[in-house]
Coordinates of all heavy atoms in Angstrom, one line a residue:
Q1 N 0.8 -1.2 0.0 CA 0.0 0.0 0.0 C 0.9 1.2 0.0 O 1.8 1.4 0.8 CB -0.9 0.0 1.2 CG -1.9 -1.0 1.3 CD -2.8 -1.0 2.6 OE1 -2.5 -0.2 3.5 NE2 -3.8 -1.8 2.6
G2 N 0.6 2.2 -0.9 CA 1.3 3.4 -0.9 C 0.8 4.4 0.1 O -0.1 4.2 0.8
Y3 N 1.5 5.5 0.1 CA 1.1 6.6 1.1 C -0.3 7.1 0.8 O -0.6 7.4 -0.3 CB 2.1 7.8 0.9 CG 1.8 8.9 1.8 CD1 2.2 8.9 3.2 CD2 1.3 10.1 1.3 CE1 1.9 9.9 4.0 CE2 1.0 11.1 2.2 CZ 1.3 11.1 3.5 OH 1.1 12.1 4.3
G4 N -1.1 7.1 1.8 CA -2.5 7.6 1.7 C -3.5 6.5 1.3 O -4.6 6.8 1.1
N5 N -3.0 5.3 1.1 CA -3.8 4.2 0.6 C -4.1 3.3 1.8 O -3.3 2.9 2.6 CB -3.2 3.4 -0.5 CG -3.2 4.1 -1.8 OD1 -4.1 4.9 -2.1 ND2 -2.1 4.0 -2.5
G6 N -5.4 3.0 2.0 CA -5.8 2.1 3.1 C -6.5 0.9 2.5 O -6.4 0.6 1.3
S7 N -7.1 0.1 3.3 CA -7.8 -1.1 2.9 C -8.9 -0.8 1.8 O -9.2 -1.7 1.0 CB -8.5 -1.8 4.1 OG -7.5 -2.1 5.0
F8 N -9.5 0.4 1.8 CA -10.6 0.7 0.9 C -10.2 1.7 -0.1 O -11.0 2.4 -0.7 CB -11.8 1.2 1.8 CG -12.3 0.2 2.7 CD1 -11.9 0.2 4.1 CD2 -13.0 -0.9 2.3 CE1 -12.4 -0.7 4.9 CE2 -13.5 -1.9 3.1 CZ -13.1 -1.8 4.5
G9 N -8.9 1.9 -0.4 CA -8.5 2.8 -1.4 C -7.8 4.0 -0.9 O -7.4 4.1 0.3
S10 N -7.7 5.0 -1.7 CA -6.9 6.3 -1.4 C -7.7 7.2 -0.5 O -8.9 7.5 -0.8 CB -6.6 7.0 -2.7 OG -6.1 8.3 -2.4
W11 N -7.1 7.6 0.6 CA -7.8 8.6 1.5 C -8.0 9.9 0.8 O -9.0 10.6 1.0 CB -6.9 8.8 2.7 CG -7.4 9.7 3.7 CD1 -8.4 9.5 4.7 CD2 -7.2 11.1 3.8 NE1 -8.7 10.6 5.4 CE2 -7.9 11.6 4.9 CE3 -6.3 12.0 3.1 CZ2 -7.9 13.0 5.3 CZ3 -6.3 13.3 3.5 CH2 -7.0 13.8 4.6
F12 N -7.0 10.2 -0.1 CA -7.1 11.5 -0.8 C -8.2 11.5 -1.8 O -8.9 12.5 -1.9 CB -5.7 11.8 -1.5 CG -4.6 11.8 -0.6 CD1 -3.7 10.8 -0.5 CD2 -4.4 12.9 0.2 CE1 -2.6 10.9 0.4 CE2 -3.4 13.0 1.1 CZ -2.5 12.0 1.2
E13 N -8.5 10.4 -2.5 CA -9.6 10.3 -3.4 C -10.9 10.4 -2.6 O -11.9 11.0 -3.0 CB -9.6 9.0 -4.2 CG -8.5 9.0 -5.2 CD -8.6 10.1 -6.2 OE1 -9.8 10.4 -6.7 OE2 -7.6 10.7 -6.6
F14 N -11.0 9.8 -1.4 CA -12.1 9.8 -0.5 C -12.4 11.3 -0.1 O -13.6 11.7 -0.3 CB -11.9 9.0 0.7 CG -12.9 9.1 1.8 CD1 -14.1 8.4 1.7 CD2 -12.7 9.9 2.9 CE1 -15.0 8.5 2.7 CE2 -13.6 10.0 3.9 CZ -14.8 9.3 3.8
Q15 N -11.4 12.0 0.3 CA -11.6 13.4 0.6 C -12.0 14.2 -0.6 O -12.9 15.1 -0.4 CB -10.2 14.0 1.1 CG -9.9 13.5 2.5 CD -10.9 14.0 3.6 OE1 -11.8 13.3 3.9 NE2 -10.8 15.2 4.0
R16 N -11.4 14.0 -1.7 CA -11.8 14.8 -2.9 C -13.3 14.5 -3.3 O -14.0 15.4 -3.6 CB -10.9 14.4 -4.1 CG -11.2 15.3 -5.3 CD -10.4 15.0 -6.5 NE -9.2 14.2 -6.2 CZ -8.3 13.9 -7.0 NH1 -8.3 14.4 -8.2 NH2 -7.2 13.2 -6.7
G17 N -13.7 13.3 -3.1 CA -15.1 13.0 -3.4 C -16.1 13.7 -2.5 O -17.1 14.3 -3.0
W18 N -15.7 13.8 -1.2 CA -16.6 14.6 -0.3 C -16.6 16.1 -0.6 O -17.6 16.7 -0.6 CB -16.1 14.4 1.2 CG -16.8 13.2 1.8 CD1 -16.2 12.0 2.0 CD2 -18.1 13.0 2.2 NE1 -17.1 11.1 2.6 CE2 -18.3 11.7 2.7 CE3 -19.2 13.9 2.2 CZ2 -19.5 11.2 3.2 CZ3 -20.4 13.4 2.6 CH2 -20.6 12.1 3.1
Q19 N -15.4 16.6 -1.0 CA -15.3 18.0 -1.3 C -16.1 18.4 -2.5 O -16.8 19.4 -2.6 CB -13.9 18.5 -1.4 CG -13.1 18.5 -0.1 CD -11.7 18.8 -0.3 OE1 -11.1 18.7 -1.3 NE2 -11.0 19.3 0.8
E20 N -16.1 17.5 -3.5 CA -16.8 17.7 -4.8 C -18.3 17.6 -4.5 O -19.1 18.4 -5.0 CB -16.4 16.7 -5.8 CG -15.0 16.9 -6.4 CD -14.5 15.8 -7.3 OE1 -15.3 14.8 -7.5 OE2 -13.4 15.9 -7.8
A21 N -18.7 16.7 -3.6 CA -20.1 16.6 -3.3 C -20.6 17.8 -2.5 O -21.7 18.3 -2.8 CB -20.4 15.3 -2.5
A22 N -19.8 18.3 -1.6 CA -20.2 19.4 -0.8 C -20.3 20.7 -1.7 O -21.1 21.6 -1.4 CB -19.1 19.7 0.3
A23 N -19.5 20.8 -2.7 CA -19.5 21.9 -3.6 C -20.8 22.0 -4.4 O -21.2 23.0 -4.9 CB -18.3 22.0 -4.5
K24 N -21.5 20.8 -4.6 CA -22.7 20.7 -5.5 C -24.0 21.0 -4.7 O -25.0 21.2 -5.4 CB -22.7 19.4 -6.1 CG -21.6 19.1 -7.1 CD -21.7 17.7 -7.6 CE -20.5 17.4 -8.5 NZ -20.5 16.0 -9.0
V25 N -23.9 21.0 -3.4 CA -25.2 21.2 -2.7 C -25.0 22.3 -1.6 O -23.9 22.6 -1.2 CB -25.6 19.9 -1.9 CG1 -26.0 18.8 -2.9 CG2 -24.6 19.4 -1.0
S26 N -26.1 22.9 -1.2 CA -26.0 23.9 -0.2 C -26.3 23.2 1.2 O -26.8 22.1 1.2 CB -27.1 25.0 -0.4 OG -28.4 24.5 -0.4
G27 N -26.0 23.9 2.2 CA -26.3 23.3 3.5 C -25.2 22.4 4.1 O -25.5 21.7 5.1
I28 N -24.0 22.5 3.5 CA -22.9 21.7 4.1 C -21.8 22.7 4.4 O -21.4 23.6 3.6 CB -22.4 20.7 3.1 CG1 -23.4 19.6 2.8 CG2 -21.1 20.0 3.6 CD1 -23.0 18.6 1.7
L29 N -21.3 22.6 5.6 CA -20.2 23.4 6.1 C -18.9 22.5 6.2 O -19.0 21.5 7.0 CB -20.5 24.1 7.4 CG -19.3 24.9 8.0 CD1 -19.1 26.2 7.1 CD2 -19.7 25.4 9.4
W30 N -17.9 22.8 5.5 CA -16.7 22.0 5.6 C -15.8 22.6 6.7 O -15.3 23.8 6.6 CB -16.0 22.1 4.2 CG -14.9 21.1 4.0 CD1 -13.6 21.3 4.1 CD2 -15.1 19.8 3.6 NE1 -12.9 20.2 3.9 CE2 -13.8 19.2 3.5 CE3 -16.2 19.0 3.4 CZ2 -13.6 17.9 3.2 CZ3 -15.9 17.7 3.0 CH2 -14.7 17.1 2.9
V31 N -15.5 21.8 7.7 CA -14.7 22.3 8.8 C -13.5 21.3 8.9 O -13.7 20.1 9.0 CB -15.4 22.2 10.2 CG1 -14.5 22.7 11.3 CG2 -16.6 23.1 10.1
Q32 N -12.3 21.8 8.8 CA -11.1 21.0 8.9 C -10.6 20.9 10.4 O -10.5 22.0 11.0 CB -10.0 21.5 8.0 CG -10.4 21.3 6.5 CD -9.3 21.8 5.6 OE1 -8.4 22.6 6.0 NE2 -9.2 21.2 4.4
Y33 N -10.4 19.7 10.8 CA -9.9 19.5 12.2 C -8.7 20.4 12.5 O -8.6 21.0 13.6 CB -9.6 18.1 12.4 CG -9.0 17.8 13.8 CD1 -9.8 17.8 14.9 CD2 -7.6 17.6 13.9 CE1 -9.2 17.5 16.2 CE2 -7.1 17.3 15.2 CZ -7.9 17.3 16.3 OH -7.3 17.1 17.5
E34 N -7.7 20.4 11.6 CA -6.5 21.2 11.8 C -6.8 22.7 12.0 O -6.2 23.3 12.9 CB -5.5 21.0 10.6 CG -5.0 19.6 10.5 CD -6.0 18.6 9.7 OE1 -7.1 19.1 9.3 OE2 -5.7 17.5 9.6
E35 N -7.7 23.2 11.3 CA -8.1 24.6 11.4 C -8.8 24.8 12.8 O -8.6 25.8 13.5 CB -9.0 25.1 10.3 CG -8.3 25.2 9.0 CD -9.2 25.6 7.9 OE1 -10.4 25.9 8.1 OE2 -8.8 25.6 6.7
L36 N -9.6 23.9 13.2 CA -10.3 24.0 14.4 C -9.4 24.0 15.6 O -9.5 24.7 16.6 CB -11.3 22.8 14.6 CG -12.3 22.9 15.7 CD1 -13.2 24.1 15.6 CD2 -13.2 21.7 15.6
V37 N -8.3 23.2 15.5 CA -7.3 23.1 16.6 C -6.4 24.4 16.6 O -6.2 24.9 17.6 CB -6.4 21.8 16.4 CG1 -5.2 21.9 17.4 CG2 -7.3 20.6 16.7
R38 N -6.1 24.8 15.4 CA -5.1 25.9 15.2 C -5.8 27.3 15.6 O -5.2 28.1 16.3 CB -4.6 26.0 13.8 CG -3.6 27.1 13.6 CD -2.9 27.0 12.2 NE -3.9 26.9 11.1 CZ -4.0 25.8 10.3 NH1 -3.2 24.8 10.5 NH2 -4.8 25.8 9.3
E39 N -7.0 27.5 15.2 CA -7.8 28.7 15.5 C -9.2 28.4 15.8 O -10.1 28.5 15.0 CB -7.8 29.6 14.2 CG -6.4 30.1 13.8 CD -6.4 31.0 12.7 OE1 -7.0 30.7 11.6 OE2 -5.9 32.2 12.8
P40 N -9.4 27.9 17.1 CA -10.8 27.5 17.4 C -11.9 28.6 17.4 O -13.0 28.3 16.9 CB -10.6 26.9 18.8 CG -9.4 27.5 19.4 CD -8.5 27.8 18.2
A41 N -11.6 29.8 17.9 CA -12.6 30.8 18.0 C -13.2 31.1 16.6 O -14.4 31.1 16.5 CB -12.1 32.0 18.7
P42 N -12.4 31.4 15.6 CA -13.0 31.7 14.3 C -13.8 30.6 13.7 O -14.8 30.8 13.1 CB -11.8 32.1 13.4 CG -10.7 32.4 14.3 CD -11.0 31.6 15.6
Q43 N -13.3 29.4 13.9 CA -14.0 28.2 13.4 C -15.3 27.9 14.1 O -16.3 27.6 13.5 CB -13.1 26.9 13.4 CG -11.8 27.1 12.6 CD -12.1 27.4 11.2 OE1 -12.9 26.8 10.5 NE2 -11.3 28.4 10.6
I44 N -15.3 28.1 15.4 CA -16.6 27.9 16.2 C -17.5 29.0 15.8 O -18.7 28.8 15.6 CB -16.3 27.9 17.7 CG1 -15.5 26.6 18.0 CG2 -17.6 28.1 18.5 CD1 -15.0 26.6 19.4
A45 N -17.1 30.2 15.5 CA -17.9 31.3 15.1 C -18.5 31.0 13.7 O -19.7 31.2 13.4 CB -17.2 32.6 15.0
R46 N -17.7 30.4 12.8 CA -18.2 29.9 11.5 C -19.4 28.9 11.6 O -20.4 29.0 11.0 CB -17.1 29.3 10.7 CG -16.2 30.3 10.0 CD -15.2 29.5 9.1 NE -15.8 28.7 8.1 CZ -15.5 27.4 7.8 NH1 -14.6 26.8 8.5 NH2 -16.1 26.8 6.9
V47 N -19.1 27.9 12.5 CA -20.1 26.9 12.8 C -21.4 27.5 13.3 O -22.5 27.2 12.9 CB -19.6 25.8 13.7 CG1 -20.7 24.8 14.1 CG2 -18.5 25.0 13.0
A48 N -21.3 28.4 14.3 CA -22.4 29.1 14.9 C -23.2 29.9 13.9 O -24.4 29.8 13.8 CB -22.0 30.0 16.1
A49 N -22.5 30.6 13.1 CA -23.2 31.4 12.0 C -23.9 30.5 11.0 O -25.0 30.8 10.6 CB -22.2 32.3 11.3
F50 N -23.3 29.4 10.7 CA -23.8 28.5 9.7 C -25.1 27.9 10.3 O -26.1 27.7 9.6 CB -22.8 27.4 9.4 CG -23.4 26.3 8.5 CD1 -23.4 26.5 7.1 CD2 -23.8 25.1 9.0 CE1 -23.9 25.6 6.3 CE2 -24.3 24.1 8.1 CZ -24.3 24.4 6.8
L51 N -25.1 27.6 11.6 CA -26.3 27.1 12.3 C -27.4 28.1 12.6 O -28.4 27.8 13.1 CB -25.9 26.3 13.5 CG -25.0 25.1 13.2 CD1 -24.5 24.5 14.6 CD2 -25.8 24.0 12.4
G52 N -27.0 29.4 12.4 CA -27.9 30.5 12.8 C -27.9 30.8 14.3 O -28.9 31.3 14.8
C53 N -26.9 30.4 15.0 CA -26.7 30.7 16.4 C -26.0 32.0 16.6 O -25.3 32.5 15.7 CB -26.0 29.5 17.1 SG -26.8 28.0 17.0
A54 N -26.0 32.5 17.9 CA -25.4 33.7 18.3 C -23.8 33.5 18.1 O -23.3 32.5 18.3 CB -25.6 34.0 19.7
T55 N -23.2 34.6 17.6 CA -21.8 34.6 17.4 C -21.1 35.7 18.2 O -20.1 36.2 17.9 CB -21.4 34.8 15.9 OG1 -22.0 36.1 15.5 CG2 -21.9 33.7 15.0
D56 N -21.7 36.0 19.4 CA -21.2 37.0 20.3 C -19.8 36.5 20.7 O -19.6 35.4 21.1 CB -22.1 37.1 21.5 CG -21.5 38.0 22.6 OD1 -21.3 39.2 22.3 OD2 -21.3 37.5 23.7
P57 N -18.8 37.4 20.6 CA -17.4 37.0 21.0 C -17.2 36.4 22.4 O -16.5 35.4 22.5 CB -16.6 38.3 20.8 CG -17.4 39.1 19.8 CD -18.8 38.8 20.1
S58 N -18.0 36.9 23.3 CA -17.8 36.4 24.7 C -18.4 34.9 24.8 O -17.8 34.1 25.5 CB -18.5 37.3 25.7 OG -19.9 37.3 25.5
L59 N -19.5 34.7 24.0 CA -20.0 33.3 24.0 C -19.1 32.4 23.3 O -18.9 31.3 23.7 CB -21.4 33.3 23.3 CG -22.1 32.0 23.1 CD1 -22.3 31.2 24.4 CD2 -23.4 32.1 22.4
I60 N -18.5 32.8 22.2 CA -17.6 32.0 21.4 C -16.4 31.6 22.3 O -16.0 30.5 22.3 CB -17.1 32.7 20.1 CG1 -18.3 33.0 19.2 CG2 -16.0 31.9 19.4 CD1 -19.1 31.8 18.7
E61 N -15.9 32.6 23.1 CA -14.8 32.3 23.9 C -15.1 31.3 25.0 O -14.3 30.5 25.4 CB -14.2 33.6 24.6 CG -12.9 33.5 25.3 CD -11.8 32.9 24.5 OE1 -11.7 33.1 23.3 OE2 -11.0 32.0 25.0
R62 N -16.4 31.4 25.6 CA -16.8 30.4 26.6 C -16.9 29.0 26.0 O -16.5 28.1 26.6 CB -18.2 30.8 27.1 CG -18.1 32.0 28.1 CD -19.4 32.4 28.8 NE -20.4 31.4 28.9 CZ -21.7 31.5 28.6 NH1 -22.1 32.7 28.2 NH2 -22.5 30.6 28.7
V63 N -17.3 29.0 24.7 CA -17.3 27.7 24.0 C -15.9 27.1 23.8 O -15.7 25.9 24.1 CB -18.1 27.7 22.7 CG1 -18.0 26.5 21.9 CG2 -19.5 28.1 22.9
V64 N -15.0 28.0 23.4 CA -13.6 27.6 23.2 C -13.0 27.1 24.6 O -12.5 26.0 24.6 CB -12.7 28.7 22.7 CG1 -11.3 28.4 22.8 CG2 -13.2 29.1 21.3
E65 N -13.2 27.8 25.6 CA -12.7 27.4 26.9 C -13.4 26.1 27.4 O -12.7 25.2 27.9 CB -12.9 28.5 28.0 CG -12.0 29.7 27.8 CD -10.5 29.4 27.8 OE1 -10.1 28.6 28.7 OE2 -9.8 29.8 26.9
G66 N -14.7 26.0 27.2 CA -15.4 24.8 27.7 C -15.1 23.6 26.9 O -15.4 22.5 27.4
S67 N -14.6 23.7 25.7 CA -14.3 22.5 24.9 C -12.8 22.1 24.9 O -12.4 21.2 24.2 CB -14.8 22.7 23.5 OG -14.3 23.9 22.9
K68 N -12.0 22.8 25.8 CA -10.6 22.4 25.9 C -10.5 21.1 26.7 O -11.4 20.8 27.6 CB -9.8 23.5 26.7 CG -9.5 24.7 25.8 CD -8.7 25.7 26.5 CE -8.4 26.9 25.6 NZ -7.6 27.9 26.4
F69 N -9.6 20.3 26.4 CA -9.5 18.9 27.1 C -9.4 19.1 28.6 O -10.1 18.4 29.3 CB -8.2 18.2 26.5 CG -8.1 16.8 27.2 CD1 -8.8 15.8 26.8 CD2 -7.2 16.7 28.2 CE1 -8.7 14.5 27.4 CE2 -7.0 15.4 28.8 CZ -7.8 14.4 28.4
D70 N -8.5 20.0 29.1 CA -8.4 20.1 30.5 C -9.7 20.5 31.2 O -10.0 20.0 32.3 CB -7.3 21.1 30.9 CG -5.9 20.6 30.5 OD1 -5.7 19.3 30.4 OD2 -5.0 21.4 30.4
T71 N -10.4 21.4 30.5 CA -11.7 21.8 31.1 C -12.7 20.7 31.1 O -13.4 20.4 32.2 CB -12.3 23.0 30.3 OG1 -11.4 24.1 30.2 CG2 -13.6 23.5 30.9
M72 N -12.8 19.9 30.1 CA -13.7 18.8 30.0 C -13.3 17.7 31.0 O -14.2 17.1 31.7 CB -13.8 18.2 28.6 CG -14.5 19.2 27.6 SD -14.9 18.4 26.1 CE -13.3 18.2 25.4
K73 N -12.0 17.5 31.2 CA -11.5 16.5 32.1 C -11.9 16.9 33.6 O -12.4 16.1 34.4 CB -10.0 16.4 32.0 CG -9.4 15.3 32.9 CD -7.9 15.2 32.7 CE -7.3 14.2 33.7 NZ -5.9 14.1 33.4
M74 N -11.7 18.2 33.9 CA -12.1 18.7 35.2 C -13.6 18.6 35.4 O -14.0 18.2 36.5 CB -11.7 20.2 35.3 CG -12.0 20.8 36.6 SD -11.7 22.6 36.7 CE -12.8 23.2 35.5
M75 N -14.4 18.9 34.5 CA -15.8 18.8 34.6 C -16.3 17.3 34.8 O -17.2 17.0 35.6 CB -16.6 19.4 33.4 CG -16.3 20.9 33.3 SD -16.8 21.8 34.7 CE -18.6 21.7 34.6
A76 N -15.6 16.4 34.1 CA -15.9 15.0 34.3 C -15.5 14.5 35.7 O -16.3 13.7 36.3 CB -15.1 14.1 33.2
V77 N -14.4 15.0 36.2 CA -14.0 14.6 37.6 C -15.0 15.2 38.6 O -15.5 14.4 39.5 CB -12.6 15.1 37.9 CG1 -12.3 15.0 39.4 CG2 -11.6 14.4 37.1
K78 N -15.5 16.4 38.4 CA -16.4 17.0 39.3 C -17.8 16.2 39.2 O -18.4 16.0 40.3 CB -16.7 18.5 38.9 CG -15.6 19.4 39.4 CD -15.9 20.8 39.0 CE -14.9 21.8 39.5 NZ -15.2 23.2 39.2
A79 N -18.2 15.9 38.0 CA -19.4 15.1 37.9 C -19.3 13.8 38.6 O -20.3 13.3 39.2 CB -19.8 14.9 36.4
E80 N -18.2 13.1 38.4 CA -18.0 11.8 39.0 C -18.0 11.9 40.5 O -18.6 11.1 41.2 CB -16.7 11.2 38.5 CG -16.5 9.8 39.0 CD -15.3 9.1 38.4 OE1 -15.1 9.2 37.2 OE2 -14.5 8.6 39.2
E81 N -17.3 13.0 41.1 CA -17.3 13.2 42.5 C -18.7 13.5 43.1 O -19.0 13.1 44.2 CB -16.4 14.3 42.8 CG -14.9 14.0 42.7 CD -14.0 15.2 42.8 OE1 -14.5 16.4 42.9 OE2 -12.8 15.0 42.8
A82 N -19.6 14.1 42.2 CA -20.9 14.4 42.6 C -21.9 13.2 42.5 O -23.1 13.3 42.7 CB -21.4 15.6 41.9
G83 N -21.3 12.1 42.0 CA -22.1 10.9 41.8 C -22.8 10.7 40.5 O -23.7 9.9 40.3
G84 N -22.4 11.6 39.5 CA -23.0 11.5 38.2 C -22.1 11.1 37.2 O -22.0 10.7 36.2

């Protein structure tokens, strides 16, 4: 198997197929994981706007902070300690 090839063919061809399909229809927002990790606030704002949700900067920042691994881990520990 060459670079990018898996059991079911080329990952790159798979990605290209999805991008071509997304370009042909409305109602699809393409979000790349790498962009979400690199710049979470603008990407979360894009998702919120796409969904018709509020894009207030303070709310976006709360979402960014709330979705960090350390924050989610802390919340899970607190929930477990509270019996949930």
Side-chain angles (χ1 to χ4, degrees):
Q1 292 180 351
Y3 180 75
N5 290 322
S7 301
F8 299 101
S10 167
W11 181 84
F12 301 105
E13 290 298 320
F14 172 79
Q15 286 294 99
R16 185 181 344 191
W18 273 106
Q19 288 176 342
E20 289 172 358
K24 294 178 184 176
V25 295
S26 63
I28 295 176
L29 177 66
W30 194 260
V31 179
Q32 293 182 332
Y33 174 78
E34 295 82 2
E35 291 177 7
L36 191 57
V37 170
R38 186 173 46 249
E39 296 182 305
Q43 297 305 314
I44 291 170
R46 279 183 59 228
V47 172
F50 179 78
L51 295 173
C53 298
T55 57
D56 175 61
S58 63
L59 175 59
I60 299 299
E61 189 55 37
R62 284 183 27 224
V63 172
V64 170
E65 289 301 316
S67 51
K68 289 182 176 177
F69 179 80
D70 289 339
T71 303
M72 291 190 290
K73 183 177 178 181
M74 179 184 65
M75 296 303 291
V77 169
K78 285 182 178 181
E80 189 174 309
E81 289 172 350

